Amino acid sequence: MNLKETYAKVDSILDTLDFGALLEGFHKYRFAVYNSREICLDGKLIPYEDSFRGNTSLLYSGEYIAVWDIEFSPMEDMEKLAYLLVHEMFHCHQFSNGEARFPSDFALLRYPSDPDNFTKKYNENRYLADACEHGDVSKLQKFAALRAQRLSAYPEMVAQELRAETIEGMAEFIGLKALQAINREKYASQVRDCIGKLREESGLLFDVRRISYYTGVVFFLSLDALGRKIENDFRSTLTVYEQNLVDTRGVTVQMRPYDFIGEKYTALLAEKEAKIAGHMAHALYVPCNAFICGYDPMNMFRVRDMVYCSHFVCLDENGRTKAINNAVLLVLAEGSEREVCGYYI
């Protein structure tokens, strides 16, 4: 299927949706599907432009549009692609409404490696999964009680999680509500998949930004199933989680140990070290004085003062943007999150 056909099929599906019913004030935003050669926007083909990167929302000719890279993320199911584009359109809506509760992707790269934190987080995730699957208020309260413990122990980092849930979890929730209107069976399957992600004994647990898609959307689905109106004031500094607190008074919670957490985390660290060593062994070191100005947060990780970007990164060198469109290992200046003193390519 070519770009114009893909665009036309998705556009016809999106035209069946009542965006205002998904969220008051929400509306259909312009969107584009593209590959490395062409972009289809408003049903018309134009040459590829370098500002189109990844699956996201971007400011284009003065307005926010949703974009999807068909080449990097191919989709055969047009109904699912429509729901994914609603997710991206909600990002457009967030930007248009002055959303400022974004997580710091670079702070999340320094997420603490304390096994106790991940043990609590996994127990937390399982309570949340049970709450959503069974509409169980008591499980939701236990989830919230454990989260309160982690927020007290790791306030800065858990705050970043809540911000990621606000941005990505809320966008996914709205996208799923769109899918529910498009195809209820596919919606139910997608919800089961989200719940399953929280129970997986996998490395996803340690990818805090990525798993926040799932914790966020499953929390919002749980509230929705219980008939609670989800508050999300874009002007507030409070995250969506904080605007929709669950009563935990008198709640007691038990925490189970899980052997896979230590095993998987040790293996993940070894894998990252091996990837860095392998990259450096076959790469040229280029010194520079730059800072990171564009990146793919879903495809990067940090080890000590090095950041590995598997897809692309953009560096600002003396006011000029340099795009690196392949795997690169950035060496950060000491104590910095974004200042780059060199890279291996």
Side-chain angles (χ1 to χ4, degrees):
M1 191 181 301
N2 63 38
L3 288 179
K4 291 188 74 171
E5 289 174 332
T6 299
Y7 182 96
K9 286 182 179 295
V10 171
D11 195 41
S12 66
I13 295 168
L14 292 173
D15 279 341
T16 68
L17 293 174
D18 181 351
F19 281 78
L22 300 177
L23 182 76
E24 185 178 353
F26 188 36
H27 63 84
K28 181 183 176 185
Y29 285 77
R30 293 172 70 197
F31 74 97
V33 291
Y34 72 98
N35 56 33
S36 58
R37 301 171 301 282
E38 295 178 306
I39 299 165
C40 187
L41 176 63
D42 300 328
K44 300 175 183 177
L45 292 177
I46 58 176
Y48 174 76
E49 298 179 24
D50 197 50
S51 60
F52 283 69
R53 294 179 178 274
N55 310 316
T56 188
S57 63
L58 59 86
L59 189 60
Y60 183 80
S61 298
E63 66 178 308
Y64 289 102
I65 66 171
V67 303
W68 193 269
D69 186 343
I70 294 296
E71 190 170 74
F72 186 71
S73 304
M75 290 292 300
E76 298 296 329
D77 188 327
M78 295 298 100
E79 290 182 332
K80 283 194 174 181
L81 180 55
Y83 121 71
L84 292 167
L85 278 162
V86 172
H87 174 119
E88 303 305 342
M89 287 179 185
F90 189 75
H91 288 321
C92 297
H93 193 64
Q94 289 168 323
F95 281 118
S96 298
N97 282 276
E99 178 65 85
R101 297 164 295 174
F102 294 94
S104 167
D105 293 316
F106 294 94
L108 286 172
L109 290 178
R110 296 184 289 103
Y111 195 81
S113 57
D114 184 347
D116 181 62
N117 172 56
F118 287 118
T119 299
K120 284 180 178 174
K121 183 168 176 60
Y122 185 66
N123 276 268
E124 187 181 301
N125 290 353
R126 291 192 68 95
Y127 279 124
L128 179 57
D130 290 346
C132 187
E133 186 172 60
H134 304 296
D136 191 326
V137 175
S138 67
K139 293 292 178 67
L140 191 63
Q141 290 175 315
K142 290 180 185 295
F143 151 76
L146 265 182
R147 173 162 285 190
Q149 290 181 22
R150 285 201 311 115
L151 185 57
S152 176
Y154 309 96
E156 180 184 352
M157 287 305 169
V158 178
Q160 295 296 336
E161 291 179 44
L162 302 187
R163 285 171 169 261
E165 289 178 352
T166 292
I167 302 302
E168 298 296 352
M170 199 67 205
E172 186 64 7
F173 174 71
I174 297 299
L176 279 177
K177 297 299 283 185
L179 184 58
Q180 186 178 33
I182 294 167
N183 188 311
R184 296 187 70 87
E185 289 185 4
K186 291 177 183 177
Y187 162 79
S189 175
Q190 203 68 28
V191 170
R192 286 194 298 271
D193 181 68
C194 290
I195 292 171
K197 294 294 186 188
L198 299 189
R199 294 181 175 135
E200 279 184 9
E201 295 188 1
S202 72
L204 177 63
L205 175 66
F206 313 114
D207 189 339
V208 180
R209 194 184 195 282
R210 194 179 301 272
I211 203 169
S212 292
Y213 278 64
Y214 302 109
T215 53
V217 71
V218 174
F219 176 66
F220 304 139
L221 287 167
S222 299
L223 295 181
D224 190 52
L226 292 170
R228 279 188 56 172
K229 183 179 183 295
I230 299 172
E231 301 296 334
N232 183 20
D233 183 352
F234 291 107
R235 298 163 297 179
S236 174
T237 58
L238 296 177
T239 62
V240 182
Y241 182 81
E242 292 167 311
Q243 290 182 42
N244 297 274
L245 290 176
V246 174
D247 185 4
T248 60
R249 287 174 296 181
V251 175
T252 58
V253 59
Q254 291 183 329
M255 191 172 65
R256 285 183 52 193
Y258 291 89
D259 291 340
F260 87 92
I261 293 175
E263 295 166 0
K264 291 283 187 183
Y265 192 66
T266 299
L268 177 64
L269 291 181
E271 179 185 329
K272 289 180 178 180
E273 292 284 3
K275 184 166 286 188
I276 285 175
H279 182 92
M280 292 175 68
H282 302 93
L284 173 69
Y285 180 72
V286 180
C288 68
N289 181 14
F291 67 89
I292 303 168
C293 60
Y295 57 93
D296 179 357
M298 306 306 292
N299 291 285
M300 59 195 293
F301 65 82
R302 177 171 177 167
V303 174
R304 297 181 296 281
D305 284 332
M306 295 178 290
V307 175
Y308 181 82
C309 305
S310 63
H311 184 30
F312 77 89
V313 73
C314 294
L315 301 179
D316 184 305
E317 295 186 272
N318 300 316
R320 298 182 63 182
T321 299
K322 178 177 183 176
I324 302 175
N325 294 312
N326 48 26
V328 60
L329 178 64
L330 307 176
V331 180
L332 300 178
E334 185 176 355
S336 175
E337 289 187 340
R338 302 182 71 153
E339 187 179 345
V340 179
C341 58
Y343 55 87
Y344 291 89
I345 190 168

